Structures are given as C-alpha cells and as structure tokens.
Amino acid sequence: MAFDFRLPDIGEGVADGEVVRWFVKEGDSVREDAPLVSVLTDKANVEIPSPRSGKVVKIHAQVGEKVKVGGVLVTIEDVGGGAPPAGPAPPAAPVARAPPAAVAPAPAPLTTGVSVAASPYVRRLAAERGIDLATVRGSGPGGRVTEADLAAASAGAAPSRPEAAPAAPSAEPPARSTPSAAPAPPTPLADVAERIPIRGLRRTIAEHMSEAVHRAAHFTYVEEVDASELVRLREKMAKHVEKQGVRLTFLPFLVKAVVAGLRAHPRLNATMDDARNELVVRSAYHIGIATAAPDGLLVPVVRNAERKSVGQLAREIQELSERGRAGKLERSELLGSTFTITSLGALGGVLATPILNYPEVAILGVHKIQRRPVYRPDGTIGPADLMNLSISLDHRVVDGYEGAQFLATVKSYLEDPHQLFSELA
C-alpha cells in the first residue's frame, strides 16, 4: 500500500522549507533511514531520511519549491504489501547539514485561505501596511508578489485579484485555491550563456540581505590602522600556536579587540527587536565570523569570546570554518550572534560597506594589510603595515559619533596589541 510522507516538524518555529535536492527519483526503491530529500529552512539545510523502505511512487515537490510543515513531499509504496499504517506516517528525524547564515524568522502566514507566493520580507511589509496579499496580483515569477506590487497596491495602481462573489452560507469549508499559473517563458536573448536559478541557500541569503537593507538605516565609517606591531606579534605567537596544529591568522586578535571595543561601547553589542521597537543589549559577546562556503556565505558563531585566549579563538575559528565549508555545522552554531566580523583575508581589498547581519546593529569589515611608507612623528618617513577597517551600523539606534568611538577603541588595541593580554575579564 502507498502512503504520503509529509514534511515533519523540524522545530524552532520553522513553518516551511524549500526542497534543494532529492536523493531519489520516481520509480526508485528506498531503504528505511536512507537519505530521501534535503530541505532548506530559514535556519538550516536539513537532510531528511526515509521513514521506511519502499518504492517512490510520486514526488510532489520539485527542487526549488517550498513546502509547508505537514505538506506532502513524496508518496512511497510499501513493497512488503502489508496493511497501510494507522494514521499519518511518523516523521523521520531530520539531520542538520550545511546551514545558512542566521536569518530573521518569517512572520506568521495570513489567514485569508489563499495561497500566495511571496518572500518573508514582502509578507511582513504587507502585514505592516494592512494589505491582504490575496488581493495583490504578483508580477514576479510564477505570480510571486514583490515589494513593487505592494507599493502599487498601496497607491491603488495595481490590478487586484478578482474577488469572489458573496456565497450563500454553507457548512462546507471553502475549496482550496488553485496553484499560480506557470510563468511565461523568458524572452529569447541571443547572448544568454546560462540561466542560474536563485534557490536554496543563495535564495535564503538574498532574502536576508534584502530584509537587512530595507529594515536598517545603514551607514559606514572607515578608519586606517597601523598594524605593524600586530604583524610582528602574530609572527612571534604563530611559532608556538602552530606547533599544536592550529593556524594563527589575524582574526583572533581582531575578535579580542572587538570585544574590548564592545565592552567600552555596549550599545553595539545588541540586536534590534523591531516588533517591540526595542534595542536588546547583550551581556555576553557572541561573535559571528562570516565564512565563505561552496553554496554561499555562512556566519558561524564564536560564543563567549570574552572568555577565550588568542590560541583558543584560533582553534575554534579554524574548526568552525572547516566544518562550515564541509557542510557539517550544527544549527545551534549559526544562531545567536551579537556582532559580526567579515574578512576576505589577503583578498580584503581597500574598502567595503558590509551589510548588517540583521537584527544585529553593527558589522566590522576587515581589509588586507599592505606595507606602505608613512610619515613618523619625528618627521622621518618609514615603512608601516597598514589596513582599513570599515564598520557598518544601524543609524536608527547608533549615532555616527558612537560608531567612530568604537572603531577608535578597536584601533588602539590593534596598534598596541599587548593591551589585549592585560585586559581584565
């Protein structure tokens, strides 16, 4: 007998997931607990195993489709021919794989009974503006409602979805809406080399970045740092740390300098609660380290960085980065950061304007160190190892002067890094 396997409740407020990979195809046989499908939620990439052995009769959700918790993923035929299970099939235990950068949870779905394609950001905007998404005609792919559609609807310029005529009272529940029509084929272009679907982790990152830009009032402040003494100190310490199999980069020193700056300016070690219009200042220092992975950017979190030595930080950052690139991070290792550092190492460029890891209110961009001639206080010219730091802040809650003070504190610790080891916990 055949049964429908539904997307299990993954927990932590997850309402739906996007299918990013099927490990089987229709007609395949599958063993119990064998990998069945990989689903991306707003918090993790979850590999779901098959709840039992059988034959895959029908796949109900294709790659790129979003499925609500409880929605049918696949129909599996019991090859044993036994009686069908009583009640719904038990959900298989999900296994977290390569998780994405932490993102704000999507708002609760509207209650109109109409299925509408829209991103979490657009849904939140619609709720804030009092717009029923069911009345808005989407101009995006597959009828997806965009922010421009909301703006047009607010101005009364967008044609709305036709409203059903009032029906006579009935005891029967309303019929489910039909899916959106397939998008029109793209206009042929002579010079198109490839069309790349934006899905999976890349789509989650895109939605998170859009929300961050539209939510926060970004501004960026840049400071030049003379890292000459830091370069010398790292070279001396690396001989000892690397004997233990750990590569000592500049990041551990930057983390300690950032913690010192956050202690002096605690309003930057915070997140915004936009629902309550409150700045939530944190007492612990959980530093997110932006890490490039094959599918996109991840932000693993170094927890309680204030309690760790340079060597401990180096080991933890290295392990998090390696497991992030291999897709082996746990979901808990990507949540709860209070401040983020993003660095491209030797490719760090001269200047960048990082986008906030919303709902955090500050992010530090670290740029490459270059040796250049500088004027000394005694009037002579000599070489120095210089680098730029750029900090982006949420101007709604952090003033420019406060941001500049924070970066000045970080600069002072990096230019005289021995201070990092005299700071009291």
Side-chain angles (χ1 to χ4, degrees), residues 188-341:
L189 297 173
D191 59 346
V192 174
E194 184 181 8
R195 286 185 178 270
I196 302 175
I198 305 301
R199 58 173 59 136
L201 177 57
R202 189 74 262 166
R203 182 160 80 177
T204 299
I205 293 172
E207 292 175 350
H208 182 44
M209 292 296 100
S210 295
E211 181 172 32
V213 169
H214 286 86
R215 281 279 179 180
H218 282 69
F219 82 96
T220 301
Y221 176 79
V222 182
E223 182 65 271
E224 185 180 66
V225 175
D226 184 344
S228 302
E229 189 60 34
L230 177 62
V231 169
R232 286 190 285 269
L233 179 61
R234 190 205 68 84
E235 289 176 351
K236 291 180 180 178
M237 292 188 65
K239 299 175 183 178
H240 305 286
V241 174
E242 292 179 0
K243 288 179 182 178
Q244 305 173 49
V246 178
R247 181 169 177 263
L248 183 61
T249 68
F250 291 102
L251 268 177
F253 299 96
L254 286 158
V255 169
K256 289 189 72 70
V258 161
V259 169
L262 293 175
R263 279 179 166 152
H265 308 281
R267 283 168 54 89
L268 274 67
N269 191 54
T271 54
M272 269 298 293
D273 185 344
D274 278 300
R276 301 180 63 175
N277 199 31
E278 292 177 347
L279 178 67
V280 183
V281 179
R282 308 290 291 279
S283 59
Y285 303 91
H286 306 316
I287 309 301
I289 306 294
T291 303
D295 293 331
L297 193 67
L298 304 176
V299 187
V301 181
V302 177
R303 301 194 181 281
N304 298 111
E306 74 277 10
R307 303 177 186 175
K308 297 170 181 174
S309 68
V310 166
Q312 289 172 322
L313 289 171
R315 182 180 298 278
E316 186 168 347
I317 291 170
Q318 179 174 306
E319 290 176 350
L320 288 170
S321 299
E322 289 175 353
R323 289 194 292 113
R325 286 190 288 269
K328 296 181 179 180
L329 286 174
E330 299 293 332
R331 183 182 309 154
S332 61
E333 294 175 303
L334 292 138
L335 303 176
S337 57
T338 60
F339 185 100
T340 295
I341 298 174

Side-chain angles (χ1 to χ4, degrees), residues 1-14:
M1 299 293 291
F3 69 96
D4 292 333
F5 178 56
R6 301 173 183 274
L7 179 64
D9 185 357
I10 300 170
E12 295 193 26
V14 173

Side-chain angles (χ1 to χ4, degrees), residues 2-10 15-17 19 22 36-37 39 46-52 58-61 66-76 85-94 176:
F3 69 96
D4 292 333
F5 178 56
R6 301 173 183 274
L7 179 64
D9 185 357
I10 300 170
D16 57 26
V19 176
W22 280 103
L36 183 67
V37 63
V39 176
V46 179
E47 186 179 289
I48 301 176
S50 177
R52 63 185 63 196
K58 183 174 178 57
I59 290 176
H60 295 273
K66 285 196 174 183
V67 181
K68 292 186 180 300
V69 170
V72 178
L73 285 170
V74 63
T75 299
I76 301 176
R176 294 181 63 184

Side-chain angles (χ1 to χ4, degrees), residues 71-118:
V72 178
L73 285 170
V74 63
T75 299
I76 301 176
E77 186 177 67
D78 187 351
V79 292
V95 179
R97 290 297 182 190
V103 296
L110 298 171
T111 57
T112 59
V114 178
S115 176
V116 179

